[in-house]
C-alpha cells in the first residue's frame, strides 16, 4: 500500500508542479550567450598550468638561493664561541643585578626596619 | 562520445525547471544559473566523465551555480552594493483555474518542508530521478538522501491532511 500512497503523492506533486511550470528561455539563444561568455574566459587548464609553472619556478629559485650561500660551521666557529661567552657573561651580570635589586627590596621591607 | 548540445537541448526544459527551483522561483536568476552551467560545460571547467547520467550531472552543476550566485548576491546585499537585492519571485499563473486551489494547497504544503526535503522531492517526484541520482545531485550520502526522502513524503502527507486537502482517491491514510 505504501507504493500506492507514494504514487498518489507523486502524481499530485507532478500535477501541481506542471501547472506552475514556466516556459524556458530559447535554448539556442542561451547557448549562444554561454558560448560567447566561455570564449571570453581563458582555458582553465592554461590558468592551472601557468600557476603550476610559477610555483615550480619559485621552489627551484628558493632551492638555488639556499644552495649558493655556504652553511656556517656552527660547532667550531670562534665567532659563535665569542657570542656564547659574551651572552653568558651578560646573563651573569643581569642575574647579579637582579639579585641585588631583590635584596634591596627585602632589606627595606625586613622586620629589622620596624625595630629601629 | 555524446553530442553535448543535442543532449542539453533535450534536457533544456527540465533543466530550467530545476534552475527555477534552485533559485526560489526567480526567472532571471534561473536563466543566469542555467547559462553559467552551460558555459561551464562548454569551456570544460565542468567536465562530464559519464560516471553518472548527464541529467544528474547537469542538475548538480546548475545547483552549484545557483548557490554560488546566491552567496554572491547575499554578500553584495550585506555590503550594500546590490541594487536588486529584493526577491524577484514572480506570481504563479495557473493554466487551469479550477485546479488553482488544489495547486495552491500542495504548494503551501511543499513550502512547509525543509529545503533539503523540497530538493529531494523535486528531483524524485518531478524530475523522475532515482534517490541515488538525487543524492549525487545534492552531494549527499545515499542513506542520508533516503532518510530525507522518507521524511519529506511523510511531512507532505501530514501537511496536506492538516490543510483539509481533498484527495482525489481515498487510498492515502495518515
Amino acid at each position: 500500500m505504501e507504493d500506492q500512497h507514494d504514487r498518489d503523492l507523486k502524481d499530485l506533486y507532478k500535477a501541481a508542479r506542471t501547472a506552475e511550470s514556466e516556459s524556458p528561455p530559447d535554448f539556442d539563444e542561451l547557448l549562444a550567450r554561454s558560448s560567447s561568455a566561455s570564449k571570453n574566459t581563458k582555458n582553465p587548464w592554461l590558468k592551472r598550468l601557468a600557476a603550476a609553472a610559477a610555483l615550480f619556478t619559485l621552489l627551484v629559485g628558493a632551492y638555488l638561493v639556499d644552495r649558493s650561500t655556504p652553511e656556517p660551521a656552527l660547532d667550531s666557529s670562534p665567532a659563535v664561541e665569542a657570542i656564547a661567552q659574551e651572552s653568558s657573561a651578560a646573563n651573569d651580570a643581569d642575574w647579579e643585578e637582579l639579585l641585588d635589586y631583590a635584596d634591596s627590596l627585602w632589606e627595606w621591607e625586613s622586620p629589622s626596619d620596624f625595630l629601629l | 562520445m555524446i553530442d553535448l548540445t543535442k543532449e542539453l537541448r533535450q534536457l533544456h526544459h527540465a533543466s530550467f525547471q530545476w534552475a527555477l527551483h534552485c533559485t526560489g522561483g526567480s526567472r532571471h536568476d534561473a536563466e543566469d544559473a542555467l547559462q553559467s552551467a552551460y558555459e561551464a560545460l562548454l569551456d570544460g571547467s565542468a567536465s562530464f566523465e559519464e560516471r553518472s547520467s548527464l541529467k544528474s550531472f547537469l542538475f548538480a552543476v546548475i545547483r552549484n551555480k545557483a548557490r554560488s550566485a546566491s552567496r554572491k548576491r547575499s554578500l553584495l546585499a550585506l555590503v550594500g552594493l546590490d541594487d536588486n537585492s529584493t526577491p524577484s519571485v514572480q506570481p504563479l499563473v495557473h493554466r487551469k483555474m479550477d485546479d488553482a486551489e488544489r495547486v495552491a494547497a500542495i504548494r503551501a504544503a511543499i513550502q512547509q518542508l525543509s529545503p533539503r526535503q523540497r530538493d529531494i522531492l523535486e528531483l524524485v517526484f518531478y524530475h523522475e530521478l532515482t534517490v541515488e541520482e538525487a543524492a549525487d545531485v545534492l552531494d549527499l550520502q545515499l542513506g542520508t538522501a533516503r532518510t530525507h526522502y522518507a521524511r519529506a513524503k511523510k511531512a507532505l502527507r501530514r501537511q496536506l491532511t492538516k490543510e483539509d486537502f481533498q484527495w482525489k482517491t481515498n487510498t492515502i491514510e495518515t
Side-chain angles (χ1 to χ4, degrees):
Chain A
M1 289 307 287
E2 184 62 26
D3 289 343
Q4 181 60 43
H5 293 174
D6 286 356
R7 274 198 293 275
D8 287 342
L9 202 60
K10 185 176 177 178
D11 289 345
L12 280 170
Y13 187 99
K14 278 193 86 169
R17 283 291 286 112
T18 306
E20 67 181 26
S21 70
E22 292 184 32
S23 58
D26 183 64
F27 175 75
D28 293 315
E29 189 187 326
L30 197 68
L31 198 69
R33 288 211 306 255
S34 303
S35 298
S36 63
S38 68
K39 279 174 190 168
N40 290 335
T41 56
K42 288 180 183 175
N43 191 332
W45 286 106
L46 284 177
K47 286 182 184 174
R48 287 174 200 165
L49 194 65
L55 185 66
F56 179 74
T57 308
L58 202 68
L59 288 174
V60 169
Y63 176 75
L64 289 175
V65 167
D66 187 45
R67 297 283 293 175
S68 64
T69 53
E71 290 181 10
L74 289 175
D75 295 339
S76 58
S77 168
V80 171
E81 285 174 12
I83 289 168
Q85 284 172 2
E86 192 176 319
S87 64
S88 173
N91 284 340
D92 289 345
D94 288 344
W95 274 111
E96 288 289 338
E97 190 182 345
L98 198 63
L99 286 171
D100 288 345
Y101 181 64
D103 285 345
S104 68
L105 283 175
W106 284 110
E107 191 177 3
W108 183 77
E109 289 186 353
S110 66
S112 59
D113 289 345
F114 294 100
L115 293 173
L116 286 175
Chain B
M1 189 68 185
I2 61 164
D3 184 348
L4 190 61
T5 309
K6 187 181 169 188
E7 297 280 340
L8 290 179
R9 186 188 296 276
Q10 284 177 350
L11 292 169
H12 185 56
H13 185 274
S15 302
F16 183 66
Q17 301 310 317
W18 173 241
L20 269 175
H21 174 86
C22 292
T23 56
S26 165
R27 187 179 175 90
H28 178 263
D29 295 344
E31 282 187 24
D32 281 351
L34 195 56
Q35 184 183 331
S36 300
Y38 287 169
E39 190 185 322
L41 283 166
L42 291 172
D43 70 15
S45 57
S47 57
F48 177 57
E49 293 169 355
E50 301 187 39
R51 283 190 295 233
S52 59
S53 70
L54 177 64
K55 186 175 183 179
S56 57
F57 178 75
L58 175 61
F59 276 28
V61 176
I62 291 168
R63 179 173 175 267
N64 288 339
K65 294 294 177 187
R67 289 179 76 184
S68 62
S70 173
R71 278 195 292 269
K72 193 178 170 186
R73 277 195 300 277
S74 300
L75 192 65
L76 289 173
L78 192 70
V79 297
L81 293 175
D82 188 12
D83 294 334
N84 300 316
S85 56
T86 51
S88 57
V89 178
Q90 295 175 349
L92 298 174
V93 179
H94 307 298
R95 294 196 187 99
K96 296 177 181 175
M97 288 309 289
D98 53 335
D99 286 340
E101 198 178 358
R102 196 174 176 77
V103 170
I106 298 169
R107 179 81 179 162
I110 293 168
Q111 289 303 315
Q112 297 302 312
L113 304 179
S114 72
R116 195 65 96 191
Q117 289 174 342
R118 285 202 296 269
D119 287 347
I120 203 147
L121 280 191
E122 178 75 5
L123 290 170
V124 177
F125 277 5
Y126 185 61
H127 293 287
E128 303 278 357
L129 261 60
T130 62
V131 178
E132 288 83 355
E133 288 172 327
D136 282 343
V137 172
L138 300 173
D139 198 19
L140 291 174
Q141 295 289 324
L142 180 56
T144 311
R146 282 187 176 139
T147 305
H148 282 303
Y149 179 53
R151 287 181 181 170
K153 287 186 294 185
K154 195 175 173 183
L156 187 59
R157 273 197 208 101
R158 193 171 54 238
Q159 284 297 329
L160 288 173
T161 307
K162 199 189 290 180
E163 293 170 14
D164 289 333
F165 186 78
Q166 298 297 308
W167 301 88
K168 278 184 178 172
T169 59
N170 291 323
T171 52
I172 299 176
E173 296 164 6
T174 56

